[in-house]
Amino acid sequence: MTLANVIEWLLKGLVWVLVLLGGFAYLTYYERRALARIQVRIGPNRAGPWGLLQPIADAIKLIFKEEFMPARADKLLFTLAPIITLTPALIITAVVPFAPETANLQLFGRTITWYIADLNVGVLYIMSVASIAVYGIVLAGWSSNNKYATLGGLRSTAQMLSYELGLGLAFIAVIVLADSTRLIDIVEAQSGMWFAVLQPVGFVIFLIATLAEVNRAPFDMPEAEQELAAGYHSEYGGMKFALLFMAEYDKMIAICIIAASLFLGGYREPWFLRDTVLGVDQTPWLGPLYVFIKVFILLFGMIWVRATWPRIRYDRLMAFGWKILLPLALALVFLTSIGILLAEQVNPLYRWLIPLASLVAGFIAILGMYQTLRRKEYARA
Amino acid sequence: MDFTLILFFLLAVTALATALGLLLSRNAVYAALFLVLNFATIAVFYLLLGAPFVAMAQVTVYAGAIMVLFLFVIMLLGAEKLPKGEALPWQRPLAIGAAALLFAEALYLLVQRVRLTAALPDPGTWENSMESLRQMATMLFTDYLLPFEVTSLLLLVAMIGAIVLTKGERTLRA
């Protein structure tokens, strides 16, 4: 550990935070434009060409808004909560690599890598940061001294805890497939085939669970407008609200980056382009571009889901998480392990049993979903 | 002074301060948050000892899942304001006695340790965490199989107990 090392980490961290800040600003623009198109509107198009300056106008508005403190709020926690919410969203992507080792830069006689930290427990790091991400929202809800905010905070706690289990099991399927917990190894293990192809149901579980983790539609119960005003951030305004807002969108970006790295090959090219000029082995600087394209597409998926699916009712949310998602994820870990074992011991072709078996399991889960969640059983008395 | 040693003392002070904060704060939410900080500090201790998996598990399970449930219950019951005075009058002397015993034990071990030659494992022994994970899993499923299974049975019993309790309530209401 030298001073140069520390400076390098600090600079990289600063650059990454700035990237996430810009990403947040333009993700709101992207979301509003895409949502508008889906709803046959135009969306923000007045500030600057194609409305490109809209996020900057929004930021200026938020900066100049009044900071207020609700009566009898817990002042310390009310101020800290937005910071606690934002921090996990910023640090969770520290372990994700954005380009292969061959793309390392040589600056001032130092090798600058395309990741902030090379943790050999990378996946577990992501898991643990995701598990502490719930605190900010709960504390924001509780410290506001507002019943709707508190209800929103409590809802988010229960929801995030329930879906964390499915998420963790989806991570385990990836760890088993890659035989490593290091993000770079996981990405490199997908140079032959993406894990989204080998474990499609695991990918879907990951997407659903992360949607619930970041409280996005159709799992946006903690801020359900019709029931809870604005949920946990009802009492927030000005820059404190901006921080909560930024946390939500940075979490979206972060989980899309993580999904891309764990299931879609991260900085690796699509597997069929492996030995061409478009592969990162031959042109390493394409790595960040591939990550960007994958994240862009995944983000569109999230916006699309928000535009088309109604919010899921709370009891069904819980029933789905515990009775469908968790058993299915457990079964997937089991099937994946068996597939890997057969592929290693008998014939590598047996690994194609993993997607087949998991698709069958997924189909059974859909049947189970119909059984558990159908109207009759959950009809209100 | 070694960097690790400085870090160790900083962490030790943090751990003690957060533990004291947990004991002394009169607001249950703050007490729970102090405990979260304490768990996080302990996790960094594990990192210093070269056990990244245990550190991450500590954060995920204790600081993440379990303490969130604590907070959930505190907030759901609105029990954040702790009453003045003691609910159990015999608790404080007993706690002081137990603390003294624990302290004496720690002191004894510290004195013993000066004579012990076995050093702590070098931090960062495991280049590949998968190796250490594999080692740990092998240990769990061979040497410690019985405790492992007994623990899982205990958790299963607790889970079934919770389900039975809530089920009974539902039939009563109907």
Side-chain angles (χ1 to χ4, degrees):
Chain A
M1 166 118 38
T2 59
L3 188 64
N5 255 330
V6 175
I7 292 174
E8 184 193 329
W9 287 333
L10 279 178
L11 282 179
K12 266 194 213 167
L14 187 67
V15 168
W16 184 233
V17 168
L18 290 177
V19 167
L20 281 177
L21 181 66
F24 150 61
Y26 279 91
L27 178 55
T28 59
Y29 171 76
Y30 177 32
E31 176 169 38
R32 288 172 69 181
R33 290 290 282 199
L35 263 184
R37 284 291 165 191
I38 292 171
Q39 294 164 353
V40 204
R41 296 182 285 121
I42 294 173
N45 69 341
R46 293 286 145 180
W50 307 290
L52 273 174
L53 295 178
Q54 185 66 38
I56 295 164
D58 286 340
I60 292 171
K61 186 193 95 176
L62 280 170
I63 288 171
F64 285 106
K65 275 182 113 172
E66 184 190 351
E67 295 278 338
F68 58 85
M69 179 77 64
R72 299 185 59 199
D74 191 312
K75 290 194 176 53
L76 177 66
L77 286 183
F78 188 77
T79 317
L80 272 181
I83 302 168
I84 300 177
T85 318
L86 182 58
T87 310
L90 293 181
I91 63 174
I92 196 167
T93 37
V95 291
V96 178
F98 289 97
E101 308 262 303
T102 45
N104 287 348
L105 302 173
Q106 297 290 335
L107 279 179
F108 310 113
R110 300 182 53 84
T111 311
I112 309 291
T113 51
W114 280 86
Y115 46 78
I116 296 175
D118 176 21
L119 235 56
N120 57 16
V121 284
V123 179
L124 297 165
Y125 168 84
I126 291 174
M127 192 64 213
S128 56
V129 175
S131 79
I132 54 170
V134 63
Y135 282 110
I137 290 176
V138 181
L139 292 177
W142 177 77
S143 63
S144 304
N145 190 30
N146 170 326
K147 64 182 171 189
Y148 297 117
T150 310
L151 275 175
L154 289 178
R155 276 184 179 183
S156 84
T157 322
Q159 172 179 327
M160 286 166 90
L161 269 180
S162 309
Y163 281 76
E164 219 164 73
L165 297 163
L167 187 66
L169 288 168
F171 277 143
I172 291 180
V174 171
I175 295 174
V176 170
L177 280 172
D179 195 24
S180 176
T181 47
R182 191 168 160 245
L183 260 290
I184 298 174
D185 294 342
I186 290 176
V187 171
E188 285 298 331
Q190 297 176 71
S191 57
M193 180 56 65
W194 289 358
F195 289 161
V197 180
L198 275 178
Q199 187 46 280
V201 185
F203 183 48
V204 172
I205 288 182
F206 181 89
L207 290 182
I208 295 175
T210 47
L211 269 184
E213 286 286 305
V214 300
N215 302 318
R216 285 282 301 180
F219 301 107
D220 54 348
M221 299 300 299
E223 41 188 305
E225 297 88 1
Q226 295 87 340
E227 306 156 29
L228 295 178
Y232 66 90
H233 58 63
S234 297
E235 298 284 0
Y236 281 89
M239 280 314 278
K240 291 201 197 80
F241 171 73
L243 283 184
L244 287 173
F245 202 46
M246 178 173 171
E248 186 183 334
Y249 282 85
D250 277 348
K251 277 181 194 164
M252 281 170 70
I253 298 175
I255 64 167
C256 286
I257 293 174
I258 293 164
S261 302
L262 292 184
F263 287 98
L264 300 179
Y267 59 75
R268 299 291 317 194
E269 67 288 336
W271 68 91
F272 43 83
L273 294 174
R274 190 177 175 186
D275 294 318
T276 62
V277 185
L278 289 172
V280 288
D281 288 332
Q282 291 181 31
T283 26
W285 54 267
L286 277 175
L289 191 67
Y290 280 128
V291 177
F292 180 78
I293 294 171
K294 286 165 188 170
V295 169
F296 196 79
I297 294 170
L298 283 173
L299 281 174
F300 181 76
M302 292 179 84
I303 295 165
W304 194 6
V305 165
R306 174 176 168 183
T308 44
W309 279 359
R311 188 176 299 130
I312 181 170
R313 213 172 69 201
Y314 196 69
D315 53 346
R316 287 191 181 165
L317 174 96
M318 282 294 146
F320 179 67
W322 287 100
K323 294 181 185 166
I324 309 287
L325 213 58
L326 183 62
L328 177 62
L330 264 175
L332 286 189
V333 170
F334 182 67
L335 293 174
T336 312
S337 310
I338 288 186
I340 291 288
L341 195 69
L342 282 177
E344 275 178 5
Q345 304 284 334
V346 189
N347 187 340
L349 278 179
Y350 272 114
R351 71 181 182 145
W352 291 107
L353 279 180
I354 301 173
L356 281 179
S358 55
L359 281 175
V360 171
F363 185 67
I364 295 171
I366 291 172
L367 289 181
M369 194 148 61
Y370 177 73
Q371 281 291 318
T372 345
L373 303 182
R374 64 168 190 243
R375 272 209 104 71
K376 213 166 124 194
E377 190 168 334
Y378 276 86
R380 290 200 179 124
Chain B
M1 206 147 86
D2 191 16
F3 176 76
T4 325
L5 209 59
I6 302 173
L7 200 61
F8 172 81
F9 280 113
L10 278 178
L11 285 171
V13 170
T14 319
L16 283 178
T18 49
L20 279 179
L22 158 72
L23 287 177
L24 298 178
S25 72
R26 300 308 297 170
N27 185 324
V29 171
Y30 278 87
L33 290 177
F34 273 123
L35 192 54
V36 174
L37 277 182
N38 191 275
F39 282 151
T41 325
I42 304 293
V44 186
F45 273 129
Y46 288 136
L47 273 185
L48 279 182
L49 291 173
F53 175 74
V54 184
M56 292 304 158
Q58 164 89 4
V59 174
T60 313
V61 177
Y62 288 97
I66 291 184
M67 286 319 293
V68 169
L69 275 183
F70 267 66
L71 266 187
F72 184 77
V73 172
I74 292 170
M75 288 175 185
L76 198 67
L77 299 180
E80 56 263 16
K81 287 280 174 288
L82 295 177
K84 291 260 189 242
E86 294 289 317
L88 304 166
W90 45 267
Q91 198 183 27
R92 192 163 290 219
L94 186 73
I96 291 174
L101 194 69
L102 192 69
F103 189 69
E105 241 176 279
L107 211 62
Y108 174 73
L109 277 180
L110 198 70
V111 175
Q112 277 295 96
R113 225 187 97 71
V114 181
R115 266 176 273 151
L116 286 176
T117 43
L120 286 168
D122 193 24
T125 317
W126 305 107
E127 273 304 306
N128 182 356
S129 72
M130 225 30 210
E131 274 317 302
S132 74
L133 264 183
R134 237 176 239 128
Q135 292 243 346
M136 187 186 267
T138 318
M139 292 267 264
L140 266 184
F141 285 102
T142 52
D143 297 355
Y144 298 99
L145 184 63
L146 188 66
F148 182 80
E149 293 294 336
V150 169
T151 314
S152 66
L153 201 68
L154 201 66
L155 289 175
L156 188 68
V157 169
M159 209 159 73
I160 293 173
I163 292 171
V164 167
L165 282 176
T166 48
K167 271 269 187 252
E169 199 175 298
R170 190 172 296 167
T171 42
L172 272 182
R173 215 187 291 148

